[in-house]
Amino acid sequence: MPHVSLEGREYHYARVGAGVPLVLLHGFPFSGESFWPQLDQPLAGVDLIVPDHRGFGRSTPGQGPSTMEALADDALRLLTALGLPRALVGGVSMGGYAALAAARLDPARVQGLVLIDTQALADDAAGQARREATAVDVEQHGVAGLTAGMLPKLFGPHASPQVRARVEALMLAQSRVGTAAASRGMALRHDARELLSRFAGPTLVVVGEHDLITPPERARQMADLVAGSRLEVLEDAGHLAHLEQPARFAQVVESFVAALPR
Ligand code: MLT
């Protein structure tokens, strides 16, 4: 897996396929490996770039909370290192929060957005307190408690045992320091509704019909804010729709990319 050096930190990424650059950012608490179907079978017409966020997978942690702006800045620096002035920026859940932060930090470099099982809303005070409690628990006891608490909410009713097992193993492999920093970083994220209402680039919103964490009404809210956006609700999928319905997910991304203005 190649990496770039960002302020002395190793930032690892995978890259497959050829076509329109799309950087896809993973959710919490996973790594880039959580896009395994898309990495194993490249999306037609897409140059897919999948980093491990700081403190996840093989990437070195940063200092302090991993804010969504910090995750976005890392991804934008990777694009610079790869010689890409612009790219589609997308992400699943926390990765979607980071994609929205990229559109806030440097809109000229975000050709379009691919928002998957995510939302525009920020945490309320109770949500922020839960993030801090999660961070402290992970620091003290590791990621097993977080994993056990999240797993039942991640899948639709028919998710395969293989997908469930691989997702669980991925979660259990993440570090305490990276996971705690990202939990604190998500608590600090901004409400993105105003940003979305001003965003002029092509936008694809994808959600699993059974997503319990960021349900379809949150996806619809985002799609309603962006003029000309596409909303795709994937049947028989939960919060990780790209893993439960990879063939359907590939179709919707490929058709979105094929329709981009040239
Ligand atoms: C994720 O999948 O990234 C998280 O569930 C996002 C969140 O907790 O808000």
Side-chain angles (χ1 to χ4, degrees):
M1 199 180 186
H3 70 268
V4 290
S5 179
L6 302 179
E7 297 148 349
R9 282 181 291 114
E10 284 188 9
Y11 185 64
H12 288 258
Y13 66 97
R15 187 176 189 184
V16 297
V20 178
L22 165 61
V23 59
L24 264 189
L25 303 173
H26 66 80
F28 171 89
F30 307 111
S31 70
E33 189 191 326
S34 60
F35 291 107
W36 74 81
Q38 293 75 38
L39 293 170
D40 290 350
Q41 180 146 3
L43 300 161
V46 176
D47 171 7
L48 183 67
I49 300 153
V50 171
D52 289 342
H53 291 303
R54 52 172 72 192
F56 290 98
R58 296 194 194 181
S59 293
T60 315
Q63 298 288 327
S66 295
T67 61
M68 300 305 100
E69 286 71 23
L71 303 187
D73 188 53
D74 289 347
L76 291 169
R77 284 171 190 241
L78 172 62
L79 293 180
T80 303
L82 297 176
L84 296 168
R86 299 184 83 212
L88 298 171
V89 181
V92 171
S93 202
M94 177 180 78
Y97 309 156
L100 290 165
R104 180 177 295 109
L105 282 183
D106 202 347
R109 301 194 65 193
V110 178
Q111 181 186 349
L113 287 167
V114 180
L115 302 169
I116 307 153
D117 292 296
T118 190
Q119 61 180 333
L121 303 182
D123 286 353
D124 59 15
Q128 289 178 326
R130 279 195 297 276
R131 301 282 190 200
E132 179 58 24
T134 296
V136 170
D137 181 64
V138 165
E139 282 169 337
Q140 291 179 352
H141 307 292
V143 295
L146 170 67
T147 301
M150 277 186 80
L151 270 176
K153 298 184 224 150
L154 286 178
F155 302 104
H158 304 116
S160 76
Q162 290 81 1
V163 167
R164 290 175 191 266
R166 189 157 174 183
V167 165
E168 180 175 14
L170 251 184
M171 295 171 85
L172 290 172
Q174 302 314 313
S175 73
R176 295 181 186 211
V177 62
T179 304
S183 189
R184 293 192 171 107
M186 284 192 288
L188 298 173
R189 75 183 185 280
H190 300 283
D191 187 306
R193 286 176 290 181
E194 155 76 15
L195 171 100
L196 279 174
S197 68
R198 282 184 283 109
F199 188 71
T203 299
L204 172 64
V205 181
V206 182
V207 65
E209 66 165 332
H210 300 297
D211 187 341
L212 299 174
I213 296 179
T214 47
E217 59 264 24
R218 300 276 167 102
R220 208 159 285 124
Q221 179 183 49
M222 291 190 294
D224 285 348
L225 287 166
V226 188
S229 67
R230 271 195 204 191
L231 171 66
E232 297 282 354
V233 181
L234 301 198
E235 287 177 15
D236 205 13
H239 186 59
L240 303 173
H242 67 294
L243 292 179
E244 286 196 64
Q245 297 297 339
R248 181 83 189 105
F249 177 78
Q251 273 173 3
V252 303
V253 174
E254 287 169 359
S255 115
F256 171 71
V257 169
L260 289 174
R262 300 280 151 190

